[in-house]
Each structure stands twice: as structure tokens, then as C-alpha cells.
């Protein structure tokens, strides 16, 4: 026997060696992965995207694999849980574990409903019946039990196995159970008798006597079945063939097949009919025990996993392994297949994975009214206009290629640049990538033998009308003609590694995917036209005029223009499947796993509808979407894009279309209401609101007191009346305020309202009401408001405050006995100025949606809205330096206001009497001139000139626009110095006012073009720079930092005339920035020790310093690196010192000699003791916030003023170098030349 067994083992090894090449090592399409304790049981929910996992530590987890979240956990078992299952229709879960218990749970109630007891050993698997209220459990007590979960009792015990029963499950349709045991057998049980007995009840037409006899016999049979096992379930087949214990067996869902896996490392396929079952074939390939084996839900495949850390896929028809997936350190224990989706799950030692074997996205392309797609290895054409669907030609691969192109297509692209014929490019990523070029005439039948041009490539797209561009395996772009002949090979950028390519929107352009960015490239001129950061783009969609492109990744959509400038970005929590632009080319409609959504270029997005199954959009029309599902069926889905068109019309200021949508559509929901409220269109949102409280809030937001009052009447809430009173008081509508306070009986505020509006009669009524309410305090307040001292004293007497009453009377000089006010002087409250119905309001013309419909050629602008954002044309004078009316100092007479008031034009002569009109010209009053500071503001857009004019606010506004300045505290002294530097005072005669003189830079013929004299000169700044150099050389870093910061703060107020001077100013900014950063690094270096100190000194050496200063920095870094034991780093600093000029004398000569010695000793050691966050070979910039390197390729942002670099996390914060500008804001840049505005 030993020799026979050894011979069979040798044969098996030969077989495995012969067929090992047929297994293709693959990478599974992982949809979800969890990390946990060892997973022993798995079960998919039949309808929802849920999966159950039972763990070896006794916990049951419920996961949503679509969004990757843990929904719930159940923890009542004592010990490992080995089996779980979902009920197909009810919210039930069944579990079985090592505590011998079967538990039934309700996942809605989140608790265990009951426990079934009966097994005497570990429970291996549990399984619900698809139709009957049964569940089956397999146990190590060598029995299989069938339970009725409604009656909570055991209805049958199946005995026959003489070892552990490892699994048992129901057939999907037939009255069969399959079980596997360590007794090396697979048994098929017939439970027809049990079904007839427990489900259908008594035989129809039986007499009562027969029914009594049947019931008596059923009792006897139930007792016998409990003791000996009944005949309700009988063994139909016993499948023998495995050499060791069988771990798993399962039915095929539709065919009469059984699959089994055992400890003999074999997977066996069995077939059965009505009378017998036999072995069909044995599949070998696993190197350890086969843990589980299942049939694929939709393909003729078998999936098995094993303790050899692999999952293998077998072809049923060929009986060979076609794919293998491996893990490095985890053994697999369990498999589960979804009942109606192409999803599989596998549990292993450290968690579980949900995966697919291949992509389900169909390959398709749309052009005009035609949809081309691939289905069942046929290229088909669908006519969108009439719904005709016809096959065009079969897709076949040459014999030497392993897989079928029709089953593994990645993409299908149509050549829209060639109107004369149909040109299609099919691409597959199997075997490293390949493409197939098809071309055929329109309206022509295609024969099966049509010639196709094929080739290998990483990507392939149409380039021009008769050219294609492919990305070969050498990362070169190869241009081929229509005959697939190579025309040109173009190497891409040296610093990029392209791994994908897409159509570029127009002829001669391609989109290159490289790492986490997309590059718009023109191969003919080898130019990069645009670049955008986008993480792993999978698909792109150009709109009809190629003005916008949507870049679709796994969990997001980026909208960019044709220059690849990002307009907006949308992030989703679930996978994005694709999308298409609508007919207007401004709304991008895309799908996720369960929704259809939209987004527009301004970033607004929303939900269109939900989906039952994932679909892929091919065409978006007015009210429908043409799409294709995973079964390659073309579907037409109705959609309503009114909300998207509404938001688009608002964004484009198309008010006429907005009001048309408001009147004709039925937009509703909190999302659209919040959107309108956030965008400042609360008045429009009132049309969509039926909820009273929401309507009330919107009415207050837009100041519509009438609507708010009507809504408050309907609500009747005290809180609403309070808010209404506050808003009405803000608008001066005190009639509404009075009504609101009367409604809620707020007598205190009502009395104060009457007081400030001077309504004394109503105040006296309030006094009487207070007396009726016996409210002493309210009476006293009303007498104060009325100024009635006599009544006030009387109230104090009534309150028992005689002393206060006497004091009040004496203060107002009243007679103590008669309280007569003959000689008294009462302290009365002031009289209100206005006693009208409501406070007067200024009537203003406003722009809005409703005025747009009433006026055709007129446009009104609201004073509280910005003109530029609404597309209204403004005067060029306002944009280029017209001073703001609020931008002057309050103590200056017309200084900086810029209000050029011409009294001769503004006076209405129709109101002047005849006596005031003088005909002689000598009696005309001269028009006063405009002060020079006002002319300075009008003549220049330089911040220094506005500061000199005293218009500090407009100066700050200019700096905010130019350099994103937000913190003006450091610039305060400089601005005041600029102001005082151009103003002087000449004393006049005695008792006369001194004369203020405004100093201009030069005398102009036209006074309106004068500009002030310059306070800060470029030459003075250069002298200050030399002082900073001397302090830095001497090591006085605090004084040097003050000098460089002073230079940096003076630069925004320096005015120069020539282009060369402008360049010098920019150079001063760069020098000051580098030295300030260097000083910050040096100070931080002195405060730290160890590795961080060496990192700071290394960064110190990369600041752009003068050679003599750089040598000092390198000497410091070299010394610290050598002392710390980083000899390789020290040698690098030494080489850089030796590359600097050698004076051969003095301190610098000594540094060169020291560097030579350090280099010699470091090369002998040739090691680094510590790893630094520093690499001199990798270009980087210094993060001025954290003082760490930002290496090339990492996203960074800059200060708009000084140009300091920062990581992306520092966006919108204050620059640490200049302490003036905001980081990451794009501006036009600092203006230093004297720019003159033209009138």
C-alpha cells in the first residue's frame, strides 16, 4: 500500500508540473477588504450590499462593502463562530459556533431573537432554506439538523456520517441537501418526505378518522426520529472518491453538478441524475488542504481556496485552472458567492476580501445617433433615434493570443475626426495591453473576415483623421497610420513616467496620465499645453465643443477647461462609474454604484435619481439618459435635470430662464432651498417652500416683512413673533413691531417702543395696564418714560418706599405735602424727533429676478451688491484707481476721498429764483479745485500713492488685490511714514491757519496727472541691504533679521520708473526672503540638538546666500554632520565648500583646508549613523512654516508677496516670512512702477 500511495503521489506531482504553466497568476479586482480576526464564515445579503463575517473570536460583523463601513456587530457566542447566513426575504441572520448553539438574530432590532439547542459539538455551517421556514446546521457531533425557525424546533435529524460533518446546505430549487464530512464522503439527502410532512399538511379529502390515525402515527414517528432518526430525509447518493476528509461540498445553482474539496488537496466535480451520481473529473493544483469550493454565480467557473494561501479559478468545460490569486501570509478558510451578482468573498487569517474575477464595464462609444458597443464578442450598433440594435461583426483574436479580446475589452473609441467612414479603436489590457483598429464604410454590411489591424500597447487613442497614437511598453508615443504602419516615435518628458493616454479633445493632442497628474501634450511640437493634479484618472469625457473635460477617477470627478485648468472637483464616497455631457455641454451627468448625479463647472452638484443596478451613461438628452448596463443591454432611463438647469441659469445670471423654471417646474426640497439661501436668493426660495417655519426664516432673510407677518399669523409661535419684531425694528417698521409685541404681550418692550416713538397716549394706556396687572416695576418704568414725577412718587409710596418717594420729590423741587409743582423743574425725557407712522426709508432701485422680466433694456444695480460679479459694465476709472468714499482719514478735509464735486453741474437751476441769477460773468462764483491727494488717488493705482494721499483703506485694498495682504499691522509705520513724508506745513500770519503743502514728485502740465513724491527710495533700500549683510557676517542675526524685514516691508511702498529698477525690486524681495529664512533656520538650529539640528543646518546651506555667507553655513553644517557621525553627509558639504572660490588666505582659506581634511576622513568612514529628512540630490524647497524640505513632485503653494514656499496644508494662513500676505492666493503681483490712470 505504501508503494502504491507513493506511486500515485509521483504521478500527481508530474501532473502538476505538466499543468503548472496553464495557471495564470492574476490580480483580483478587490472591491472591499477588512482587517480583523480570522474569518470562518461568510454570507452575502441577496439584495442589499451587505456581507456577514463570523470571526474566530466570537464576533459577527455586518459590513456594507459598497461604501466600506461596519454597520453592526453581534457578540453573544462563547467561542469561535464558524457559520452565518442571511435569510432571503426576512430581516434574519442565523449563526452557529463552538458553543453548540444556533442563534437567530433580527438585524433590524439588532438583537438575538432565540437560541436553538440540540447539537452536542461544534457547529460548522448554518444555512437558510430559500422558500420554507427551515434552516440546516452541520456539526462535529456527526449529525445534520433541520430546524423550523418559526416554531423554533428541530424537525429532523440526519444521521449517517461517522466523522465530523464539515458543511451542509440546501439546494436552491430541489428538495435536496448536500453534506461533506471528514469520513471522506459527500452525501446527498432527499428531504421530499419532510416537505410533504411538514409543509403541505394532511392529505386532502381524508376523513377525520384517517386524520386522527395520521396524527397518532406522526407522534410515533417523531419519537422514533428523535431516537433513531426518521425516514423524512434519506440518503440519495453517497459520493466516494476523496482520499482524505472532505471539507466542503456545494450544489450548482442550475445544473445537476456538485463540487467538493478535501484534505487530499483535490477538487472533484460530480454529476447526478434521478438514479445515480458519479465523478466527472478531478482538478489538482493546490498544495495544501482545500478549505472551500463554490460555483461562480454567472459563469461556468469553479472557485476554490486552500490553506496554501491561494485562491484558484477552474474552467468547468476545460477542467483546468485558469487563474490563481495568492496572499503572502494568510491562509484561506471560507468562500462565498453572491446569488445574482459577479461578486465573491474570501475569508483568511487576518480578515476578508470582496472581489471580482474580471471587469463588468462594457466597452462602448457614441457618435451622433449611433452607439457602438461590444456584447458576447460581437461589435453591435444601436440607433438612438429609433432603437434598432444590429450586430456588425464578430471580434476574434489570433490563435497565438491567449484570451478573447471580446471578453476583456478595456475601452472602445470612435474616430469623430473622420466623417467619411466608421473608425473604431478597441483596447484590451490583457497580456500587457493590445489594440485593434477597425475601419469600414458607413451603411455597408460587414463580412466576418474584415481585416483588422492589431498591435501591442499600453494605451491607444485616435490622433488625427487617419492617424492613431499608441503608448508602447518603452513609454514612447508612437504615431501610426490607418494601415497600422509606424510613422513617428516621440519620447515623452524625461521627468514623467506615462502609464495611460486619452484623446486630447482636438486633433493633434493627447492627454497623458503620469503618476497623479494629467498632462495635455502636443506630440508634433513636443509641447506641454497644460497640467493638472488628478489622482489615477480612469476615464475622460469631453463635451460636444471640447471646451470642458471631465476627468473621472475611482472616487471623484474633476471638471477642467480645454487648457486643463481645474474648475471644480467632486468627491464621492462610493465608486464613480462614468458619465457624459448633456446637449448644452455645460452639465456633466455621471453615475455611481447606486445614483445618477450631475455637476456644473462652478462646482455645484446634486442628485438626479437612484439606481437599482449600476449603469454606464452613453448619451444625455433632454429628459432621458441612454445607458448600458453590465449585461450589455441598452436602456433608456428617464431623468429630470431641471434642478441642474436652474443652478446653471443662476450661475450664468440668466434671470429670465430662472423665472421661467420657477413658474413652470416643481422644484422642492431642503437642498434647493438651502442652495438658494446660501447664494443670496432667499426671495426666490420662497416659491419652493411649503413648510411654514422654513418660509418664515426665508422671508426674514430677504427682508419681506409682509410674507413673514402672514406666516407668523399661521404659525402663532411666540418665538416667531419675537424674530419678526427684531427684523421689523431693523427696517424701521414699528407698526409691525407694535403688533408683534401685542401678540405675545411683551409689555416691557411695547412701553419702550412707545417711548422712543413719542406716543405718550399709548404710554399712559400701558401705565393703566400695569396698574391692572399690579406690576409695580412696569408702572415705575412707564412713569419714567412719561416724565410724570408726581405719579412716580405715588407709586413709590404705594410700594412702601417712602424714603425714595421723598428723595424723588426733593430732587424735582416738589412740595412735600401738596406735591405741587409750582416752582419745580422736572427732569423729563427727550422728545422723539420723528412721530410718523413708520421711520422713513430711502427708496432704492434693486436688481433682481422679477425686475429682469419687467425691464427689457434697463438694468438696475443694488447699492449693497458688487457690480462686477453680475456682468454689469463699470467705468474704467473705478477699476483703475477711483478712490472709495470710505477710504480717507476722518481728520483731513477732502484728503483721499476723491469726490470731484462740481457744484456748477450739480445745482438744479430750475429751483433758483430770478434774483439770484446774475447775468454778468464777473459776479460768477469760481468753482473750487480738487485737492491734490484726491488727484493722486485718481492718477495712480500704486499703493504708496494712495497711502501718501491719506487713503489708507484704498491703499490696503490695492495691496490685498496685488499681493493678498491681509495683516497690515507690520505695514502701519511704513504707511504713516509715507503719508507724513509728502505733507509739510507753512506757518501763516498771526491768528491765521497754517497752510498745508502737498509735495508732488514733479511739475506736470496737466495737474490731474500729478503723483506724490517718493518717501522710500530704491537707493536707500540698497544701503539698508548692505547693513543687513554686515550684521549677518558678524553673526548679529537679530539685527540682520530686522534689516531684511524692514527692506521687505518697504518694497510695497517703493515707486520706480524703469523696467530695470522693477527687476531690482524683485531681486530685493528674493534676497530678503532667503536671508530671513536662513536666519530662522539658524535660530532654530541653535535651539535644538541631535538629528533635527543637523537637518536644520543642512537646509540652511540651500538658502540662496552670498558666497561668503554660504561658506559659513556650509562650514557649520559640515562640522555638525561630522560630529554626529553622518560622514557621507559631511563629505557632501565639504565638496560644496571646495567648489566655492578659494582666497587661500584668511578665514576662507582655513575653511578650504578644513574641508579637505573632513572630506578625506569622511571618505574613509563612508557611512551615516542617522537617517535625515534631507537629500541633496533631490531638488526641494524649504517649507517656511515647519522648516522641513518639500521635495520635487510634492504639491506646494507660495506666498503671493515674498514667494516663500509652504505645504498645501498651510493654504489661507498667514505667511511666516513677511507676516503680511496670505498663502496660496493667486494674485496679479506687486506693482512697483508708476502706473498712471487715464481719464
Amino acid at each position: 500500500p505504501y508503494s502504491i500511495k507513493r506511486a500515485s503521489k509521483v504521478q500527481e506531482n508530474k501532473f502538476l508540473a505538466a499543468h503548472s504553466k496553464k495557471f495564470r497568476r492574476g490580480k483580483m479586482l478587490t472591491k472591499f477588504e477588512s482587517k480583523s480576526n480570522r474569518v470562518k464564515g461568510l454570507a452575502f445579503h441577496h439584495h442589499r450590499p451587505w456581507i456577514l463575517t463570523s470571526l474566530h473570536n466570537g464576533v459577527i460583523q455586518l459590513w456594507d462593502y459598497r461604501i466600506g463601513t461596519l454597520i453592526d456587530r453581534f457578540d453573544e457566542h462563547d467561542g469561535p463562530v464558524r457559520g452565518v447566513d442571511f435569510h432571503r426575504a426576512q430581516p434574519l441572520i442565523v449563526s452557529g459556533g463552538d458553543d453548540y448553539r444556533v442563534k437567530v438574530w433580527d438585524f433590524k432590532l439588532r438583537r438575538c431573537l432565540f437560541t436553538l439547542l440540540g447539537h452536542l459539538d461544534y457547529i460548522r455551517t448554518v444555512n437558510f432554506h430559500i422558500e420554507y421556514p427551515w434552516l440546516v446546521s452541520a456539526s462535529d457531533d456527526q449529525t445534520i439538523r433541520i430546524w423550523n425557525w418559526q416554531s423554533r424546533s428541530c424537525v429532523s435529524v440526519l444521521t449517517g456520517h461517522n466523522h465530523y460533518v464539515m458543511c451542509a446546505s440546501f439546494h436552491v430549487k430541489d428538495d435536496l441537501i448536500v453534506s461533506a464530512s471528514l469520513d471522506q464522503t459527500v452525501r446527498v439527502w432527499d428531504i421530499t418526505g419532510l416537505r410533504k410532512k411538514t409543509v403541505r399538511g394532511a392529505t386532502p379529502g381524508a376523513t377525520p378518522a384517517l386524520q386522527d390515525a395520521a396524527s397518532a402515527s406522526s407522534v410515533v414517528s417523531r419519537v422514533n426520529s428523535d431516537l433513531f432518526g426518521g425516514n423524512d430525509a434519506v440518503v440519495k447518493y453517497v459520493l466516494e472518491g476523496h482520499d482524505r476528509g472532505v471539507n466542503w461540498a456545494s450544489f450548482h445553482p442550475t445544473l445537476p453538478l456538485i463540487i467538493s474539496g478535501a484534505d487530499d488537496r483535490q477538487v472533484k466535480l460530480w454529476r447526478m441524475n434521478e438514479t445515480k451520481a458519479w465523478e466527472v473529473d478531478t482538478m489538482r493544483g493546490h498544495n495544501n488542504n482545500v478549505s472551500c469550493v463554490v460555483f461562480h454565480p454567472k459563469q461556468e467557473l469553479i472557485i476554490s481556496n486552500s490553506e496554501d494561501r491561494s485562491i484558484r479559478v477552474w474552467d468547468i468545460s476545460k477542467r483546468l485552472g485558469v487563474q490563481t490569486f495568492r496572499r503572502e501570509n494568510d491562509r484561506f478558510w471560507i468562500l462565498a458567492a453572491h446569488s445574482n451578482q459577479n461578486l465573491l468573498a474570501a475569508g483568511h487569517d487576518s480578515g476578508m476580501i470582496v472581489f471580482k474575477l474580471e471587469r463588468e464595464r462594457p466597452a462602448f462609444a457614441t457618435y451622433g445617433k449611433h452607439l457602438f458597443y461590444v456584447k458576447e464578442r460581437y461589435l453591435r450598433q444601436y440607433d438612438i433615434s429609433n432603437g434598432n440594435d444590429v450586430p456588425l461583426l464578430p471580434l476574434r483574436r489570433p490563435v497565438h493570443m491567449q484570451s478573447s479580446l471580446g471578453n476583456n475589452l478595456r475601452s472602445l473609441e470612435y474616430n469623430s475626426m473622420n466623417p467619411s467612414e466608421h473608425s473604431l479603436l478597441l483596447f484590451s489590457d490583457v497580456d500587457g495591453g493590445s489594440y485593434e483598429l477597425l475601419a469600414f464604410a458607413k451603411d455597408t454590411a460587414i463580412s466576418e473576415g474584415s481585416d483588422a489591424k492589431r498591435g501591442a500597447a499600453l494605451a491607444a487613442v485616435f490622433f488625427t483623421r487617419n492617424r492613431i497614437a499608441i503608448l508602447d511598453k518603452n513609454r514612447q508615443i508612437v504615431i501610426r497610420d490607418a494601415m497600422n504602419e509606424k510613422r513617428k516615435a516621440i519620447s515623452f518628458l524625461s521627468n514623467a513616467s506615462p502609464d495611460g493616454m486619452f484623446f486630447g479633445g482636438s486633433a493633434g493632442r493627447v492627454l497623458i496620465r503620469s503618476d497623479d497628474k494629467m498632462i495635455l501634450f502636443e506630440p508634433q511640437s513636443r509641447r506641454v499645453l497644460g497640467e493638472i493634479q488628478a489622482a489615477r484618472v480612469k476615464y475622460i469625457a469631453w463635451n460636444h465643443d471640447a471646451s470642458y473635460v471631465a476627468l473621472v477617477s475611482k472616487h471623484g470627478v474633476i471638471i477642467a477647461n480645454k487648457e486643463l485648468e481645474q474648475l471644480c472637483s467632486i468627491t464621492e464616497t462610493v465608486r464613480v462609474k462614468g458619465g457624459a455631457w448633456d446637449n448644452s455641454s455645460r452639465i456633466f451627468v455621471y453615475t455611481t454604484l447606486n445614483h445618477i448625479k450631475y455637476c456644473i463647472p462652478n462646482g455645484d452638484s446634486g442628485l438626479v435619481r437612484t439606481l437599482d443596478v449600476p449603469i454606464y451613461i452613453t448619451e444625455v438628452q433632454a429628459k432621458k439618459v441612454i445607458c448600458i448596463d453590465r449585461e450589455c443591454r441598452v436602456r433608456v432611463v428617464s431623468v429630470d435635470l431641471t434642478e441642474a438647469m436652474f443652478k446653471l441659469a443662476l450661475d450664468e445670471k440668466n434671470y429670465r430662464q430662472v423665472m421661467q423654471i420657477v413658474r413652470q417646474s416643481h422644484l422642492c426640497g431642503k437642498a434647493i432651498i438651502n442652495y438658494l439661501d446660501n447664494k443670496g436668493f432667499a426671495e426666490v426660495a420662497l416659491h419652493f417652500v411649503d413648510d411654514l417655519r422654513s418660509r418664515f426664516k426665508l422671508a426674514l432673510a430677504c427682508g419681506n416683512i409682509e410674507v413673514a407677518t402672514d406666516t407668523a399669523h399661521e404659525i402663532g409661535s411666540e418665538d416667531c413673533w419675537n424674530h419678526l419684531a427684531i427684523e421689523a425694528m431693523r427696517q424701521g417698521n414699528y407698526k409691525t413691531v407694535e403688533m408683534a409685541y401685542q401678540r405675545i404681550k411683551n409689555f416691557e418692550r411695547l412701553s419702550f417702543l412707545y417711548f422712543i416713538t413719542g406716543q405718550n397716549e399709548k404710554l399712559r394706556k400701558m401705565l393703566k395696564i400695569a396698574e391692572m396687572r399690579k406690576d409695580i416695576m412696569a408702572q415705575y418704568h412707564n412713569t419714567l418714560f412719561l416724565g410724570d414725577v408726581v405719579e412716580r412718587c405715588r407709586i413709590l409710596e404705594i410700594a412702601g418706599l417712602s424714603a425714595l418717594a421723598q428723595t424723588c420729590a426733593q430732587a424735582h423741587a416738589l412740595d412735600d405735602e401738596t406735591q405741587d409743582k409750582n416752582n419745580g423743574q422736572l427732569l423729563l425725557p427727550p422728545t422723539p424727533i420723528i412721530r410718523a407712522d413708520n421711520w422713513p426709508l430711502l427708496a432704492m432701485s434693486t436688481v433682481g429676478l422679477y425686475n429682469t422680466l419687467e425691464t427689457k433694456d434697463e438694468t438696475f444695480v443694488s447699492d449693497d451688491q458688487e457690480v462686477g460679479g453680475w456682468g454689469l459694465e463699470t467705468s474704467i476709472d473705478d477699476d483703475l484707481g477711483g478712490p472709495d468714499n470710505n477710504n480717507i482719514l476722518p481728520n483731513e478735509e477732502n484728503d483721499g476721498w476723491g469726490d470731484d464735486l462740481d457744484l456748477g453741474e450739480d445745482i438744479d437751476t430750475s429751483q433758483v429764483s430770478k434774483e439770484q441769477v446774475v447775468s454778468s460773468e464777473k459776479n460768477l462764483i469760481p468753482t473750487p479745485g480738487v485737492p491734490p491727494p484726491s488727484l493722486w488717488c485718481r492718477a495712480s493705482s500704486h499703493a504708496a500713492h494712495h497711502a501718501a494721499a491719506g487713503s489708507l483703506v484704498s491703499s490696503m485694498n490695492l495691496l490685498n488685490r496685488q499681493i493678498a495682504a491681509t495683516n497690515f499691522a507690520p505695514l502701519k509705520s511704513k504707511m504713516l511714514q509715507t503719508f507724513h513724508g509728502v505733507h509739510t506745513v507753512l506757518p501763516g500770519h498771526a491768528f491765521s491757519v497754517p497752510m498745508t503743502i502737498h509735495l508732488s514728485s514733479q511739475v506736470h502740465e496737466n495737474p490731474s496727472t500729478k503723483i506724490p513724491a517718493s518717501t522710500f527710495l530704491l537707493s536707500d533700500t540698497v544701503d539698508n541691504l548692505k547693513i543687513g549683510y554686515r550684521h549677518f557676517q558678524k553673526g548679529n542675526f537679530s539685527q540682520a533679521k530686522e534689516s531684511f524685514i524692514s527692506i521687505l516691508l518697504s518694497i510695497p511702498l517703493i515707486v520706480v520708473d524703469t523696467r530695470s529698477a522693477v527687476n531690482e525690486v524683485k531681486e530685493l524681495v528674493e534676497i530678503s526672503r532667503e536671508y530671513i529664512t536662513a536666519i530662522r533656520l539658524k535660530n532654530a538650529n541653535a535651539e535644538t540638538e541631535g538629528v533635527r539640528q543637523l537637518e536644520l543646518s543642512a537646509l540652511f546651506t540651500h538658502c540662496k546666500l552670498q558666497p561668503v555667507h554660504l561658506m559659513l553655513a556650509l562650514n557649520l553644517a559640515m562640522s555638525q554632520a561630522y560630529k554626529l557621525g553622518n560622514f557621507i553627509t559631511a563629505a557632501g558639504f565639504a565638496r560644496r565648500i571646495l567648489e566655492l572660490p578659494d582666497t587661500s588666505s584668511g578665514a576662507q582659506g582655513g575653511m578650504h583646508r578644513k574641508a579637505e581634511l573632513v572630506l578625506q576622513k569622511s571618505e574613509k568612514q563612508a557611512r551615516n549613523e542617522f537617517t535625515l529628512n534631507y537629500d541633496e540630490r533631490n531638488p526641494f524647497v524649504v517649507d517656511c512654516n515647519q522648516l522641513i524640505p518639500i521635495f520635487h513632485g510634492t504639491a506646494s503653494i507660495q506666498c503671493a508677496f515674498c514667494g516663500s514656499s509652504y505645504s498645501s496644508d498651510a493654504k489661507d494662513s498667514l505667511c511666516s516670512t513677511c507676516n503680511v500676505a496670505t498663502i496660496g492666493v493667486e494674485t496679479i503681483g506687486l506693482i512697483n512702477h508708476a502706473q498712471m490712470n487715464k481719464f
Side-chain angles (χ1 to χ4, degrees), residues 390-520:
V390 295
L392 294 180
L393 79 161
L395 300 177
R396 295 188 177 182
R397 297 293 300 275
V399 179
H400 66 276
M401 293 192 177
Q402 296 180 3
S403 59
S404 171
L405 179 63
N407 292 336
N408 297 279
L409 276 178
R410 179 75 179 182
S411 65
L412 173 63
E413 185 176 348
Y414 185 89
N415 189 1
S416 59
M417 297 173 286
N418 188 358
S420 60
E421 61 179 0
H422 288 311
S423 296
L424 294 170
L425 189 60
L426 296 86
F427 177 74
S428 170
D429 56 1
V430 176
D431 299 330
S434 59
Y435 67 92
E436 184 170 345
L437 179 62
L438 300 174
F440 49 90
K442 297 182 177 180
D443 302 327
T444 302
I446 306 172
S447 63
E448 185 173 340
S450 297
D451 187 20
K453 286 76 178 177
R454 303 179 178 90
L458 298 177
V461 296
F462 282 109
F463 186 62
T464 59
R465 186 181 64 85
N466 55 1
R467 295 284 191 274
I468 63 172
I470 67 169
L471 183 66
D472 65 6
K473 297 182 179 180
N474 296 324
R475 314 292 175 174
Q476 287 186 331
I477 300 175
V478 179
I479 308 299
R480 294 181 175 270
D481 59 14
M483 302 304 296
N484 204 22
E485 303 252 340
K486 181 177 178 180
R487 293 296 182 181
K488 183 185 295 186
I490 302 168
S491 298
F492 195 58
L493 304 176
S494 58
N495 58 349
S497 177
D499 57 1
M501 186 167 58
F502 304 92
F503 178 58
S506 61
R509 296 182 178 183
V510 292
L511 272 173
I512 302 294
R513 183 181 64 201
S514 176
D515 299 328
D516 285 341
K517 61 184 177 181
M518 296 291 291
I519 302 170
L520 184 60

